[in-house]
Amino acid sequence: MKNFAYVRATSVKDAIQRVSSTESMYIAGGTNLLDRMKVFLDEPSQLVDVSRLDMGKIGRIPNGSFNGGLQIGAMVTNTMLADHPDVRRDYPLLSRAILAGASQQIRNAATVGGNLLQRTRCPYYYDTAFVCNKRQPGTGCPAIQGYNKMHAIFGASDQCIAVHPSDMCVALAALDAVVEVEGAKGKRRIPFSEFHSLPGNTPQRDTSLAAGELITSLILPPTSMARSGVYLKLRDRTSYAFALISVAAMLDISGGQIRDVRLAMGGVAHKPWRLTVAEEFLKGKPAKDSSFQEAAELALQEAKPLTHNKFKINMSKRAIRRALTVSAKGGGLV
Ligand code: SF4
């Protein structure tokens, strides 16, 4: 690890000013950043600690377009969010997704804002004996010809085939969350679907954040459908492992017909992946297994598997079907 200066920000404005004016990075829980710094993937000259700023609350939104939804401060820890009674009751898939990730110790330290900014766990990215376009654009992607079991089946490019590692972000994608950020040019809101990026020709970029912008909070829009939410994660071992694939599903069913549906997947793309074609297909269909099966087939039609991850196709189809089946019964554990 390279030597760095450390300073504790006194306010959001102070933090933004410090990071905008130097080779600095924000730090909160540090559960991914410090790992990257230890192997010289990130070498900031200064860390600006934002963990003690007043962004650690969860509250009901009292008015406006998100009236009745939840606002979650960026410094809320994963544990606090997963355990919050309103989240457990109204957005259970978010609680389950968080508890499916990492260990209790990491969840106690990791923050909501940091969760959105964690970087891929592609082993070639972390091993500096290999070249990597995400580390250094233009050098190459050894994963394409290498061992790519954990890599993308959707949205990859010839520059990078990495996947986003977060469980929580898959639930947030299904919930149509909104990210509130602040930077030198002021505040703005970013729809969750536009927050993370695909690799394209800029694999070094993971998000649409401008330089120096700080995540200040998340908005969960109100939706009664979320109570039927399911998060199904499949992995090589039953705890403390990243997803081979995961599915977030929720359904609004009336009189046996599907009125609305949300489906998102993790472990399959450079960003949490919404299954919009399957969603459109399901609207108005009977809430039964044959509909779910057909939706799963449609969802995987555009998938492009690699040498070592062809298994993700059938695994994804079965997981989508199972998640929808459980959601149709009112949600719960899968
Ligand atoms: Fe680097 Fe992306 Fe290739 Fe992994 S998949 S080696 S992160 S360029």
Side-chain angles (χ1 to χ4, degrees):
M1 187 186 281
K2 199 183 100 177
N3 284 346
F4 58 90
Y6 170 86
V7 62
R8 196 174 282 166
T10 55
S11 67
V12 168
K13 295 227 172 327
D14 176 49
I16 292 167
Q17 194 178 16
R18 288 178 185 277
V19 166
S20 301
S21 59
T22 57
E23 289 288 306
S24 301
M25 294 180 77
Y26 299 117
I27 186 167
T31 56
N32 184 217
L33 176 59
L34 292 176
D35 283 348
R36 300 200 310 264
M37 287 173 65
K38 285 176 196 168
V39 290
F40 302 98
L41 297 181
D42 289 290
E43 299 179 296
S45 58
Q46 175 173 255
L47 287 182
V48 178
D49 187 345
V50 293
S51 64
R52 288 174 174 79
L53 297 182
D54 186 21
M55 298 190 289
K57 297 188 189 77
I58 300 173
R60 197 58 77 175
I61 299 169
N63 48 41
S65 49
F66 298 111
N67 184 11
L70 283 185
Q71 183 160 35
I72 300 158
M75 292 304 114
V76 168
T77 65
N78 286 12
T79 297
M80 183 181 165
L81 184 58
D83 290 347
H84 194 278
D86 289 358
V87 175
R88 289 166 63 92
R89 184 187 60 241
D90 297 337
Y91 305 92
L93 83 164
L94 177 57
S95 183
R96 290 186 195 114
I98 293 168
L99 295 175
S103 65
Q104 183 66 56
Q105 291 86 346
I106 290 174
R107 293 193 295 268
N108 290 345
T111 61
V112 164
N115 195 309
L116 269 59
L117 297 177
Q118 61 178 307
R119 305 203 77 185
T120 184
R121 297 321 199 270
C122 171
Y124 298 102
Y125 168 68
Y126 282 85
D127 188 341
T128 52
F130 290 90
V131 297
C132 167
N133 283 331
K134 187 175 283 296
R135 249 190 283 120
Q136 203 174 347
T139 55
C141 173
I144 291 174
Q145 298 300 328
Y147 188 56
N148 44 41
K149 170 184 168 182
M150 299 297 287
H151 291 75
I153 58 173
F154 292 115
S157 75
D158 60 1
Q159 306 273 309
C160 179
I161 57 171
V163 296
H164 195 266
S166 169
D167 292 295
M168 184 175 94
C169 288
V170 181
L172 293 174
L175 290 165
D176 277 341
V178 175
V179 188
E180 294 196 307
V181 305
E182 188 167 340
K185 292 184 179 165
K187 301 178 184 182
R188 65 184 179 122
R189 287 176 170 172
I190 307 173
F192 206 78
S193 59
E194 296 170 20
F195 184 79
H196 294 102
S197 51
L198 290 176
N201 292 322
T202 53
Q204 71 277 19
R205 285 189 66 84
D206 290 346
T207 72
S208 55
L209 280 179
E213 276 187 320
L214 177 68
I215 299 173
T216 53
S217 71
L218 276 182
I219 290 172
L220 298 184
T223 165
S224 57
M225 177 168 56
R227 291 193 178 189
S228 74
V230 165
Y231 187 71
L232 172 58
K233 178 178 181 178
L234 300 173
R235 46 191 156 172
D236 276 335
R237 58 176 186 235
T238 51
S239 71
Y240 200 36
F242 292 99
L244 294 166
I245 61 121
S246 66
V247 179
M250 50 196 201
L251 285 165
D252 177 3
I253 298 170
S254 177
Q257 301 290 119
I258 298 169
R259 286 201 307 197
D260 202 0
V261 55
R262 306 266 182 84
L263 274 171
M265 288 195 73
V268 294
H270 198 258
K271 60 188 285 185
W273 194 254
R274 276 289 285 270
L275 304 176
T276 49
V277 173
E279 288 179 351
E280 286 310 310
F281 166 80
L282 282 168
K283 286 175 193 168
K285 297 283 187 315
K288 61 181 187 179
D289 186 56
S290 57
S291 306
F292 302 154
Q293 199 172 350
E294 210 172 329
E297 291 292 332
L298 276 175
L300 270 295
Q301 255 178 5
E302 301 295 318
K304 291 189 174 64
L306 305 156
T307 309
H308 302 108
N309 69 6
K310 294 186 175 69
F311 70 94
K312 288 192 179 187
I313 302 292
N314 279 334
M315 182 182 269
S316 299
K317 289 178 186 174
R318 290 197 300 273
I320 291 167
R321 198 171 154 194
R322 186 166 150 209
L324 286 167
T325 301
V326 176
S327 180
K329 290 176 181 163
L333 294 173
V334 285

